[in-house]
Amino acid sequence: MSTPSDKALVPFVSVDNMMRLVHHIGVEDVLRDLAAYIEADFHRWELFDKTPRVASHSDVGVIELMPTSDGEAYGFKYVNGHPKNTSEGLQTVTAFGLLADVYTGYPVLLTEMTILTALRTAATSAMVAKHLAPKGSTTMAMIGNGAQSEFQSLAMKAICGVDTIRLYDKDRAATEKCAANLAGTGLKTVICTSPEQAIEGAHILTTCTADKQNATILSDNMVGAGVHINAIGGDCPGKTELASGILERSDVFVEFPPQTRVEGEIQQMSEDFKITEFWKVLTGQTPGRTSERQITLFDSVGFAIEDFSALRYVRDKVKDTPYHYDLDLLADPDDPRDLFGMLTRAKT
Amino acid sequence: MSTPSDKALVPFVSVDNMMRLVHHIGVEDVLRDLAAYIEADFHRWELFDKTPRVASHSDVGVIELMPTSDGEAYGFKYVNGHPKNTSEGLQTVTAFGLLADVYTGYPVLLTEMTILTALRTAATSAMVAKHLAPKGSTTMAMIGNGAQSEFQSLAMKAICGVDTIRLYDKDRAATEKCAANLAGTGLKTVICTSPEQAIEGAHILTTCTADKQNATILSDNMVGAGVHINAIGGDCPGKTELASGILERSDVFVEFPPQTRVEGEIQQMSEDFKITEFWKVLTGQTPGRTSERQITLFDSVGFAIEDFSALRYVRDKVKDTPYHYDLDLLADPDDPRDLFGMLTRAKT
C-alpha cells in the first residue's frame, strides 16, 4: 500500500501533547500569547464570517459546532455542555477543533480543545480586563472555583498584573483545590467564606459558577463603584449569575451581540438594552472605561473567533515541536478521479 | 503521566483502515449494508433533528458542516467542495465525520469520510432506484465517469440487479479508467462516444459530472418514457445537469426539500415546483412509481442523515476489527473540576 501524500495527512495534537506543548512554552506565556492572538483577531473583527453557534439540544445537554473564517483559514470547534456529567465523573464540557485552508478546503490541524478552551477563555477575560479594569487593579474576587478558576487567576496575573485572588465557592472543597493549585504560582490566595467577603477590596470581580439556572451570585447591593466585572458563567439560555440591577448600573461589553442576547447575562434585559461590542473599543470606535467610578462589565459567553485565534496559535507553535503526529484523515489518490482505483489497489 | 480513561479515548478510522474494513467486509456487501442502514433511517425520518448544511463559501470553493441527530446519537460531517482542486492534483471533495453520544456529549467515533461518502452516495442512489426504477432494470447509462462512477455502478449491481453499464464521459480517459476499474466485478461495460449512445436501451440514467455550471448533460428530447433518472451531479447552487423540460415531464423525488431547492436540479424551477420527499415513499404515505411509462427522477444532493447512517454503520462494524485505533482527544481529569490540576501534574 502506498503511503499517503503530505496533503492527506493532518497534524493532530492530543490532550497529552497539548499539555506537553503548554509546559514547553510555559502556562503564563501561553496565556499572554493567546491574549495577543485573540486581540489581533478582535482588531480585524469585521472581516470574519460570523454565525451564531449551531446547537443540537437534548433534555440533558447541548452539542454545538462553532465555525468561523477570516477568508484564509477556516476553523470550527465541537463542544458539548452537559451539566449533569460532573455527577457521573465526566467533564461538563469537552471540545476539539479543526483548522482548514480556505483555498483548498483541506484540514491543516486537528486538536483537543478542552484544555485549549480553558486557556482561551481565561486569555480573553484578561485581555478585556486589561482594557476595561481600573488602572492598578491588583486584587480579583474569584467566585466559583471550578475548572476555569485557576486559568482565570493566572491569566489575570500574566496579562493584568493581578497579585491577589480572593476565592469563594459554595463548595469549600473546590476553593481548597483552587488554592492548592495556585500555590507556587506567585499569586496570593485568600480563602473566603461568602461572596461578600470575596469581593472586599477587589478591583476585578470574576463570576464563574456552574449551575444551570438563573442564579444571583452577585446581588445589586454587593457591587460598588469603580470595579470591573468579568461575568463568565452566564453562558447559555436560562443560566445567569448577576442581579439585573447590576447590569443597569454597568457599561456592558460583549463579544457577538446576536449570541450574547440569547446566552449571556443580558438575556435578562430587554432586546434594546444598551451594550457595546468590545472589538470597537480595541479599534477606537467606542470608548472603554471613561471614569474611575464606572462599573464595566464583560458579559462573556465565548465566541468562535476566540477559538479560531487559539487554533491559529497552536498551528503556529506546534509545528517546530514534537508535540503532534499525523493522522491519515483524507483520501488522496494519485489521480483525484480514481478514488475507486485507490480503494481497489489497497486490497493487494 | 496517567493514562487517559476509556471515555476520553475516541476510536479513529483512518483512510487506510477504512479501505481495509471495506475489503474485510467486501465492497458490494458494504454497499448493501449501507443501503439498509440508510433505508432504516429514512423510515424514521421525522424524528431526526434536520437542518440545512452550514456552509462557508469562498471564491474557489465551500467548506460545510452537516450535523444531525436522532436523539440518541449525534453526527456531523466536515466536507469541502473545491472544483479547481483537481487541476492541482487534489481531491475536489474530502470529508471526515464524527459520531457522538447525545446523553454525554462525548464523541464515540472519528472517521475519514471521503471514501465513506462515495460509498453512501452510491448506496443511497441504488436504494432509491430499487424503489423507483422500472421492474427488471438491468442496464444503466453512467454519464460522467469520475470518482463516483464505479461506486454508482457497483451499488446498482449489488442492490438493483443491474448487469450492464453504458459509460460516457467527455474525457475518454475517464471512461477508460472506469471500465478498467469495473473489469472483473461481473459488470458488463460498454464504452460510448456520446450521451445519446450511452442512454440507448438504458433503464436507469445516472448523471454525475463535475463542472460547476448550469450544463445540459441530458436534453429534453434524449429522455424517453419509462426510465429512472438518478441525478447526482447537480448538487450546489449554479450547478445543474438536466434540461428543465425533463424535470417537467418527470415525477421528482428529493431528500430534504429546503436543501434541494437551493442545491439540486430543481433550483431551475419555481419555488412551488411539485416534488415528493422520498422518505414518504418508504413509509407508504406517497406512491413511488405508478406506471411503466412514468419518468421517475431522484434529484440527489446528499443529506446529513445519509452520513449519519454511514457513521452508525462504521461504528457498528469496526468495533470487533483491528481497523481502528484510539485518539487521546478528550481531556478527562479524575476530578472534572480539576482540569488545571491535571495540566499541572502532567509537568512532572
Side-chain angles (χ1 to χ4, degrees):
Chain A
M1 196 169 300
S2 62
T3 41
S5 83
D6 283 356
K7 292 226 170 79
L9 297 175
V10 180
F12 169 61
V13 181
S14 67
V15 174
D16 188 28
N17 273 327
M18 179 62 74
M19 294 194 292
R20 291 175 196 269
L21 178 68
V22 169
H23 289 303
H24 171 71
I25 299 169
V27 182
E28 289 190 46
D29 280 332
V30 169
L31 289 163
R32 263 189 292 264
D33 291 347
L34 280 172
Y37 270 67
I38 295 165
E39 185 163 340
D41 284 342
F42 271 56
H43 261 286
R44 54 195 194 113
W45 187 267
E46 286 168 290
L47 67 78
F48 279 89
D49 191 8
K50 287 174 286 290
T51 169
R53 40 188 127 197
V54 183
S56 177
H57 294 275
S58 70
D59 292 344
V60 292
V62 62
I63 296 176
E64 299 175 326
L65 298 173
M66 299 167 70
T68 193
S69 168
D70 68 357
E72 291 187 7
Y74 167 93
F76 81 85
K77 179 166 83 169
Y78 169 102
V79 59
N80 75 298
H82 286 68
K84 61 87 191 161
N85 270 8
T86 306
S87 65
E88 297 169 12
L90 299 173
Q91 287 286 105
T92 300
V93 173
T94 65
F96 71 91
L98 182 112
L99 199 69
D101 177 0
V102 166
Y103 181 72
T104 63
Y106 275 46
V108 297
L109 175 72
L110 177 73
T111 178
E112 88 81 35
M113 282 192 86
T114 311
I115 293 167
L116 191 59
T117 297
L119 291 161
R120 75 86 164 131
T121 300
T124 302
S125 286
M127 184 273 286
V128 171
K130 182 182 73 175
H131 291 278
L132 296 182
K135 290 294 156 221
S137 291
T138 54
T139 299
M140 176 169 87
M142 182 72 233
I143 300 177
N145 301 153
Q148 178 61 207
S149 58
E150 298 94 342
F151 296 97
Q152 286 284 334
S153 301
L154 270 189
M156 292 292 180
K157 171 178 183 282
I159 294 151
C160 301
V162 163
D163 58 23
T164 303
I165 310 289
R166 299 178 65 82
L167 300 169
Y168 172 75
D169 194 292
K170 65 182 182 180
D171 178 359
R172 174 68 179 240
T175 302
E176 284 170 2
K177 172 227 47 162
C178 182
N181 279 333
L182 292 176
T185 62
L187 278 168
K188 180 183 167 195
T189 55
V190 181
I191 293 183
C192 302
T193 54
S194 69
E196 288 79 0
Q197 188 192 350
I199 66 178
E200 268 173 38
H203 311 101
I204 299 173
L205 317 183
T206 294
T207 55
C208 191
T209 60
D211 284 350
K212 186 169 176 173
Q213 57 179 300
N214 292 310
T216 306
I217 308 300
L218 293 182
S219 59
D220 194 12
N221 62 1
M222 288 166 67
V223 177
V227 298
H228 174 67
I229 302 174
N230 175 38
I232 304 299
D235 64 354
C236 64
K239 184 165 183 293
T240 59
E241 297 180 319
L242 305 183
S244 61
I246 298 172
L247 299 172
E248 281 160 10
R249 290 193 291 130
S250 304
D251 288 299
V252 177
F253 299 83
V254 306
E255 292 142 316
F256 184 56
Q259 187 174 308
T260 312
R261 292 214 186 263
V262 175
E263 300 176 357
E265 294 296 332
I266 58 170
Q267 67 186 268
Q268 306 175 61
M269 314 307 278
S270 65
E271 278 182 31
D272 60 353
F273 181 75
K274 182 175 173 292
I275 45 126
T276 300
E277 294 182 64
F278 179 72
W279 68 270
K280 292 185 179 174
V281 176
L282 288 181
T283 59
Q285 292 171 257
T286 323
R289 173 169 291 275
T290 52
S291 86
E292 280 184 24
R293 293 192 49 80
Q294 186 182 13
I295 303 171
T296 51
L297 192 159
F298 178 42
D299 186 3
S300 175
V301 297
F303 188 56
I305 292 176
E306 295 150 23
D307 298 311
F308 181 89
S309 312
L311 288 166
R312 282 204 300 122
Y313 176 67
V314 171
R315 179 198 57 193
D316 292 350
K317 284 289 176 180
V318 83
K319 61 186 173 195
D320 298 323
T321 76
Y323 308 122
H324 62 95
Y325 59 87
D326 286 336
L327 291 187
D328 169 25
L329 185 63
L330 307 176
D332 187 41
D334 296 335
D335 173 358
R337 294 177 308 185
D338 198 17
L339 190 63
F340 188 84
M342 182 180 87
L343 175 62
T344 306
R345 287 186 291 277
K347 193 173 183 179
T348 54
Chain B
M1 194 169 301
S2 62
T3 40
S5 83
D6 284 357
K7 292 226 169 79
L9 297 175
V10 179
F12 169 61
V13 180
S14 67
V15 173
D16 188 29
N17 273 327
M18 180 62 75
M19 294 194 293
R20 291 176 196 269
L21 178 66
V22 168
H23 290 303
H24 172 71
I25 299 169
V27 182
E28 289 190 47
D29 280 331
V30 169
L31 289 163
R32 262 189 292 263
D33 290 348
L34 279 172
Y37 270 67
I38 295 165
E39 185 163 342
D41 284 342
F42 271 56
H43 260 286
R44 55 196 193 112
W45 187 267
E46 286 168 289
L47 66 78
F48 278 90
D49 191 7
K50 289 174 285 290
T51 169
R53 40 187 124 196
V54 183
S56 177
H57 294 275
S58 70
D59 292 346
V60 292
V62 62
I63 297 175
E64 299 174 326
L65 299 173
M66 300 168 70
T68 192
S69 169
D70 68 357
E72 291 187 7
Y74 166 94
F76 81 85
K77 179 166 82 170
Y78 169 102
V79 60
N80 75 298
H82 286 68
K84 61 88 192 158
N85 270 8
T86 306
S87 66
E88 297 168 13
L90 299 173
Q91 287 286 106
T92 300
V93 173
T94 65
F96 70 91
L98 181 111
L99 199 67
D101 177 359
V102 167
Y103 182 72
T104 63
Y106 275 47
V108 297
L109 174 72
L110 177 73
T111 178
E112 87 82 33
M113 282 192 84
T114 310
I115 293 167
L116 190 59
T117 296
L119 291 161
R120 75 84 163 131
T121 300
T124 302
S125 286
M127 184 273 287
V128 170
K130 183 182 72 174
H131 291 278
L132 295 182
K135 290 293 156 222
S137 291
T138 53
T139 299
M140 176 169 87
M142 182 73 233
I143 300 177
N145 300 154
Q148 178 60 207
S149 59
E150 299 94 341
F151 295 97
Q152 286 285 334
S153 301
L154 270 189
M156 291 292 181
K157 170 177 183 281
I159 293 153
C160 302
V162 162
D163 58 23
T164 303
I165 310 289
R166 298 177 65 84
L167 300 169
Y168 172 75
D169 194 291
K170 65 182 181 181
D171 177 359
R172 173 67 176 242
T175 302
E176 284 169 2
K177 172 224 54 155
C178 182
N181 279 334
L182 292 176
T185 62
L187 278 168
K188 179 183 169 195
T189 56
V190 181
I191 292 182
C192 303
T193 54
S194 69
E196 289 79 0
Q197 188 191 351
I199 66 178
E200 269 174 36
H203 311 100
I204 298 172
L205 317 183
T206 294
T207 55
C208 190
T209 61
D211 283 350
K212 186 170 177 174
Q213 56 177 302
N214 292 311
T216 305
I217 308 301
L218 293 182
S219 60
D220 194 12
N221 62 2
M222 287 167 67
V223 177
V227 297
H228 174 66
I229 302 174
N230 175 39
I232 303 298
D235 63 355
C236 64
K239 183 164 184 292
T240 60
E241 297 180 319
L242 306 183
S244 61
I246 298 172
L247 298 173
E248 281 160 8
R249 290 193 291 131
S250 304
D251 287 298
V252 177
F253 299 83
V254 305
E255 291 143 317
F256 184 55
Q259 187 174 308
T260 311
R261 293 214 186 261
V262 175
E263 301 176 356
E265 294 296 333
I266 58 170
Q267 66 186 270
Q268 306 175 60
M269 314 307 278
S270 66
E271 278 181 32
D272 59 353
F273 180 74
K274 183 176 170 292
I275 46 132
T276 300
E277 293 182 64
F278 179 73
W279 68 270
K280 291 184 178 173
V281 175
L282 288 181
T283 59
Q285 292 169 256
T286 324
R289 173 169 291 273
T290 51
S291 86
E292 278 185 27
R293 292 192 52 81
Q294 185 182 13
I295 303 172
T296 51
L297 192 159
F298 178 42
D299 186 2
S300 176
V301 297
F303 187 57
I305 292 176
E306 295 149 22
D307 299 310
F308 181 87
S309 312
L311 287 166
R312 281 205 301 123
Y313 176 67
V314 171
R315 179 198 57 192
D316 292 350
K317 284 290 177 181
V318 82
K319 61 186 172 193
D320 298 323
T321 76
Y323 308 122
H324 61 97
Y325 59 87
D326 285 336
L327 291 187
D328 169 24
L329 185 63
L330 308 176
D332 187 40
D334 297 334
D335 173 357
R337 294 178 308 186
D338 198 16
L339 190 63
F340 188 84
M342 183 179 88
L343 175 62
T344 306
R345 287 187 291 277
K347 195 173 182 178
T348 55

